[in-house]
Amino acid sequence: MCGIAGVFHQANNQPIDSQLLVNMAAIQHHRGPDDFGYVNPEGLGLGMSHARLSINDLNKERGRQPHCSENNKYFLVHNGEFYDFQKIRASLTSQGAEFNTKSDSEIILHLYPRYGIEKTIEQLRGEFAFALFDKDEDCLYLVRDRFGIKPLYWTQMDEGIVFGSELKVLFAHPKVKREMSAEGTYHQLIQVMVPGSTAFKDIHQVPPGHLIKIQRKNGRLTVHEQKYWDIDFPVAGEYVNHKDENYYIDGLRESLLEAVDHRLQADVPVGCYLSGGIDSCSILGLSAAVRQDPVKAFTIGFDSNDYDETPIAREMADKTGADQVVLSLSAEQLYQNFERTIWHTERTIYNTLAVAKLLMSEKVRENHYKVVLTGEGSDELFAGYPAFRQDMFLYGLEDLPASLKSEYQASLQANNALFKGAMLPREAYSSQAMNNVVGFTPTCLQNWLHCHESAMQLINPQWREELVNYDAGAAIANTFDESQLDGRHPLDKAQYVWIKTMLEGQILTWGGDRVDMANSMEARPAFLDHHLAKFATQVPPQMRIKGATEKYVLREAMKGLLPESLYKRQKFAFMAPPAHTDQKKWQSMMTLINEFANEEKVKAAGLLDFQAIQNMLTSHDDPAMQRDVKVQLDAVINHVIGVQLMHHHFIEQDIPKLAAKKAKQFGWHA
């Protein structure tokens, strides 16, 4: 795991400042504090830099990036992991390839000349983002993994393209504009973003499962975006329903074990994150079975019995003989670290779970670990979230008697009452544009699209006029590939939408890479192995959610290693207690409001309406307000603080100057 950066000019004779490339690496020092490198070949109009976190091939001289081919035709910077790379390297060596390192990254330099970019990507397994320059073709490829586990941003300025692992890397370039857009700010306030977008004008993400080819010809750059992979559910009715349950249960067990085994391979110790859910407990259980030594397990605890999962996590740790570390967090700690969390997430957060995970990754590094396996992706593939059950009960069980359907829904609402207003909508919301594309408005988006009125009131009056006809549902739905939705079962559609929006835009950003890499810690989500995902799409919907039981096939596959209490329990959403549930936490949140969303700073930033913020806070104080409304408003307040902090961090602050300062501080120089 590392951080990458680069510049690709329209004119190949336009020089690039080498120290600028180093500064772009230094601003993401947290992603790779072990080493840095850069290339700035004369006459190519290309510069690349890299901040390295040493995981495979710990030899500093050998593992340093960027990598360059022996013939100086290809240049590469890579962030992430390629699993099974030893097998690929051995195969290439038998064909005459000569390797200079033992790292996984170098395989790209030998695969690409033999197979081309598309066939190369097909062979890659893992989480990755990389940039590859082909001198003969005079083009640059930007490639992001299938689910978007690793980030990759780019922007086009007058002189050319700037790219990097984080927004702040792009902003370290003095000619990259740092300006939030009306649409981008609006989407920060409603939590769910338009896939591929950011809060900033003209700053883009490489979408998951995509490559971008930037071709230079006659002093001009053309940008072509191409999808190379997508989650592909069978057309309804094409499921292999004649297979019995054991086929899917055994197949899942085998696929998950293989994915875990691959992700335990590293030249440094590997631990596990452990909550009280089936997902992380399954990962720990399999890791403990594979390993000879006790697994180090890291658990977050909250000072609220309603949200704390440590009792089941302790039970699982004891069952597997894991060496468990529990980080118990107080309400005050979460908001005291909110400001620096936004520096790393580079987007707003609706819940302080992001802060908790940042503090957890810090704890991991304190224990001298920099790799952990995680359970992310299981809910997406096996329909674990309450929103999926809601959609299944509403649209996916046509033959279910009305009485039983009502019973299932009542049970779902009762067991998730704490999360209504967040994980479940407080009232139904329908987007016509979403209905047109998907067939219905997936439950996972309803709560956030329902924040439209709140967001419109909060945004500054000028932007409010610009956005008067803006349709967030349409903007999001228009990014979906309708060929992946047509003819699919309603549950498949709901999962597809979540994977394209909430997984990439939330769970893998402020819940994953950004808060893990904030402390130079690599997280490996075994469930998001694309071979496992392919098998998961073949599991019939009625075996993902069987009756009222979510993740049925996973429960049965892991039954032998799970504590009985967990095996029998409904999915419990993992999130931090909202601010209104604790007076100290509320006061800590208000401290941030008073510091960053006071009248002077709100008016100076010009993004929000100060009076509207005050009105919202006043309404929140109403003792008659229902809990689910408070849960939703808590999220919006967090977004308000986040928007102001984004302006504070990335616009008000001189990022190019800060990047130069960090380079000097770390002794990184050209």
Side-chain angles (χ1 to χ4, degrees):
M1 290 295 177
C2 309
I4 67 175
V7 179
F8 187 39
H9 280 159
Q10 293 191 97
N12 57 14
N13 61 355
Q14 183 174 352
I16 298 169
D17 180 6
S18 293
Q19 187 57 47
L20 171 60
L21 296 171
V22 175
N23 295 351
M24 292 168 73
I27 196 74
Q28 55 183 332
H29 176 270
H30 50 278
R31 296 189 70 89
D34 296 334
D35 193 22
F36 81 100
Y38 72 95
V39 292
N40 192 7
E42 188 175 352
L44 289 185
L46 169 80
M48 293 176 168
S49 62
H50 188 264
R52 186 175 189 228
L53 181 64
S54 303
I55 303 294
N56 292 312
D57 192 353
L58 305 185
N59 183 299
K60 181 178 274 191
E61 297 303 317
R62 273 201 320 237
R64 181 176 295 128
Q65 293 191 41
H67 290 312
C68 176
S69 63
E70 289 289 338
N71 57 13
N72 291 318
K73 286 185 177 180
Y74 312 112
F75 296 88
L76 170 78
V77 279
H78 165 228
N79 165 36
E81 298 292 348
F82 299 136
Y83 302 115
D84 215 15
F85 72 94
Q86 299 97 330
K87 183 178 178 181
I88 295 174
R89 185 174 63 202
S91 174
L92 289 166
T93 301
S94 71
Q95 299 172 50
E98 295 183 4
F99 285 79
N100 295 315
T101 79
K102 293 291 185 179
S103 77
D104 57 318
S105 304
E106 194 184 357
I107 62 172
I108 297 292
L109 294 181
H110 298 279
L111 288 170
Y112 174 72
R114 287 170 171 80
Y115 302 108
I117 192 67
E118 292 179 32
K119 292 293 184 182
T120 292
I121 297 171
E122 282 181 16
Q123 299 180 61
L124 302 178
R125 183 175 193 170
E127 52 268 6
F128 52 83
F130 65 86
L132 175 68
F133 176 73
D134 182 330
K135 185 177 178 181
D136 288 344
E137 294 289 330
D138 203 14
C139 72
L140 177 72
Y141 292 102
L142 301 179
V143 183
R144 192 173 179 203
D145 67 63
R146 296 167 179 84
F147 284 101
I149 302 167
K150 294 290 100 189
L152 186 54
Y153 299 92
W154 67 279
T155 190
Q156 189 159 11
M157 54 182 188
D158 291 340
E159 297 172 346
I161 298 286
V162 180
F163 66 87
S165 293
E166 299 188 2
L167 292 173
K168 60 182 69 71
V169 178
L170 276 60
F171 295 155
H173 195 298
K175 293 188 178 180
V176 172
K177 295 178 181 178
R178 294 174 285 130
E179 183 180 356
M180 292 177 72
S181 68
E183 293 86 351
T185 303
Y186 167 90
H187 278 278
Q188 298 298 304
L189 293 171
I190 68 165
Q191 172 63 22
V192 62
M193 296 169 64
V194 177
S197 73
T198 71
F200 295 87
K201 279 187 179 179
D202 302 321
I203 308 290
H204 316 284
Q205 295 191 65
V206 178
H210 282 67
L211 66 90
I212 291 179
K213 182 179 182 180
I214 304 163
Q215 182 74 58
R216 182 166 54 194
K217 195 170 184 179
N218 300 324
R220 299 190 65 181
L221 299 179
T222 57
V223 179
H224 175 69
E225 184 178 288
Q226 177 183 338
K227 183 171 75 169
Y228 68 83
W229 184 88
D230 206 347
I231 191 76
D232 187 14
F233 291 98
V235 172
E238 291 185 1
Y239 285 99
V240 191
N241 287 315
H242 65 271
K243 301 282 187 181
D244 64 19
E245 285 189 3
N246 289 331
Y247 169 84
Y248 299 104
I249 292 168
D250 294 343
L252 170 54
R253 187 185 300 116
E254 181 181 345
S255 297
L256 180 56
L257 177 56
E258 182 182 278
V260 168
D261 192 36
H262 276 303
R263 284 157 182 77
L264 287 172
Q265 306 305 311
D267 293 340
V268 296
V270 180
C272 287
Y273 273 161
L274 176 64
S275 69
I278 288 176
D279 315 325
S280 63
C281 287
S282 297
I283 299 297
L284 175 63
L286 293 175
S287 299
V290 170
R291 293 264 292 269
Q292 298 289 78
D293 55 333
V295 179
K296 197 85 166 180
F298 298 92
T299 299
I300 296 172
F302 296 118
D303 59 352
S304 167
N305 291 334
D306 288 339
Y307 295 86
D308 185 48
E309 293 193 0
T310 54
I312 291 180
R314 288 186 193 278
E315 189 177 346
M316 187 66 196
D318 291 342
K319 183 178 174 69
T320 57
D323 179 11
Q324 188 182 27
V325 175
V326 178
L327 175 64
S328 298
L329 295 171
S330 67
E332 302 97 308
Q333 283 175 287
L334 295 173
Y335 276 102
Q336 286 166 2
N337 290 277
F338 195 99
E339 179 183 349
R340 73 181 177 112
T341 300
I342 299 298
W343 166 255
H344 289 289
T345 62
E346 299 178 332
R347 63 148 298 169
T348 63
I349 58 177
Y350 84 92
N351 181 262
T352 50
L353 176 61
V355 186
K357 293 201 71 176
L358 180 138
L359 295 173
M360 185 78 260
S361 67
E362 190 171 65
K363 191 71 172 178
V364 171
R365 285 312 304 261
E366 286 176 5
N367 280 267
H368 309 293
Y369 274 71
K370 52 183 177 181
V371 182
V372 297
L373 269 61
T374 77
E376 277 88 6
S378 170
D379 288 311
E380 284 72 18
L381 296 179
F382 301 106
Y385 292 115
F388 294 146
R389 274 175 282 161
Q390 177 91 321
D391 289 336
M392 184 70 157
F393 300 157
L394 289 174
Y395 313 111
L397 297 172
E398 294 179 358
D399 298 331
L400 189 70
S403 59
L404 196 54
K405 186 179 290 191
S406 297
E407 180 184 326
Y408 286 172
Q409 287 179 307
S411 173
L412 175 67
Q413 295 294 332
N415 280 282
N416 290 276
L418 281 176
F419 311 109
K420 194 173 182 182
M423 300 299 290
L424 282 175
R426 60 185 182 84
E427 58 185 69
Y429 181 91
S430 179
S431 160
Q432 188 58 53
M434 198 66 64
N435 297 344
N436 292 341
V437 173
V438 181
F440 57 95
T441 303
T443 299
C444 67
L445 296 184
Q446 289 186 27
N447 192 64
W448 307 121
L449 294 176
H450 191 249
C451 290
H452 171 77
E453 291 301 326
S454 298
M456 289 296 283
Q457 290 170 13
L458 288 165
I459 211 159
N460 81 61
Q462 181 181 341
W463 280 354
R464 197 178 301 148
E465 290 182 17
E466 290 180 26
L467 297 174
V468 66
N469 294 317
Y470 184 71
D471 186 339
I476 295 167
N478 288 340
T479 67
F480 299 156
D481 183 342
E482 292 191 45
S483 70
Q484 299 298 119
L485 291 164
D486 291 345
R488 268 56 173 197
H489 187 277
L491 181 60
D492 297 342
K493 292 181 177 184
Q495 289 179 233
Y496 178 89
V497 170
W498 179 286
I499 287 168
K500 294 300 172 185
T501 56
M502 308 306 286
L503 175 64
E504 188 273 340
Q506 171 182 304
I507 291 166
L508 297 178
T509 51
W510 66 250
D513 173 88
R514 314 311 284 279
V515 290
D516 294 322
M517 291 300 286
N519 292 296
S520 315
M521 200 279 294
E522 171 181 302
R524 298 177 169 183
F527 281 102
L528 293 180
D529 182 279
H530 75 283
H531 294 280
L532 172 58
K534 184 176 181 179
F535 181 84
T537 61
Q538 306 304 309
V539 176
Q542 294 81 4
M543 287 189 194
R544 279 175 258 149
I545 298 177
K546 186 173 183 179
T549 302
E550 83 285 356
K551 290 192 288 196
Y552 172 78
V553 68
L554 178 62
R555 285 175 190 270
E556 296 306 308
M558 297 291 108
K559 183 178 180 179
L561 59 78
L562 296 173
E564 185 177 5
S565 56
L566 177 57
Y567 168 73
K568 293 181 176 179
R569 189 182 75 157
Q570 276 197 29
K571 163 73 178 177
F572 185 85
F574 186 45
M575 60 185 284
H580 77 269
T581 62
D582 184 287
Q583 189 58 36
K584 289 182 179 178
K585 194 171 187 181
W586 179 261
Q587 289 171 353
S588 296
M589 184 177 73
M590 288 305 298
T591 297
L592 286 178
I593 283 281
N594 293 333
E595 182 177 358
F596 294 103
N598 59 53
E599 186 170 10
E600 180 182 355
K601 290 199 172 180
V602 168
K603 289 183 176 179
L607 306 172
L608 303 176
D609 185 320
F610 176 74
Q611 189 55 54
I613 296 172
Q614 295 304 300
N615 294 342
M616 178 177 62
L617 293 172
T618 299
S619 70
H620 197 290
D621 290 336
D622 184 354
M625 181 177 283
Q626 294 180 324
R627 181 173 62 185
D628 56 352
V629 180
K630 283 183 179 289
V631 169
Q632 189 178 57
L633 272 185
D634 277 6
V636 176
I637 295 169
N638 284 333
H639 291 320
V640 165
I641 299 170
V643 165
Q644 286 296 113
L645 281 171
M646 288 172 70
H647 182 273
H648 168 77
H649 284 317
F650 306 116
I651 297 177
E652 193 174 23
Q653 189 170 204
D654 188 332
I655 303 297
K657 184 176 180 180
L658 178 63
K661 181 180 178 181
K662 284 184 175 289
K664 186 175 181 180
Q665 174 189 341
F666 303 134
W668 289 9
H669 52 80

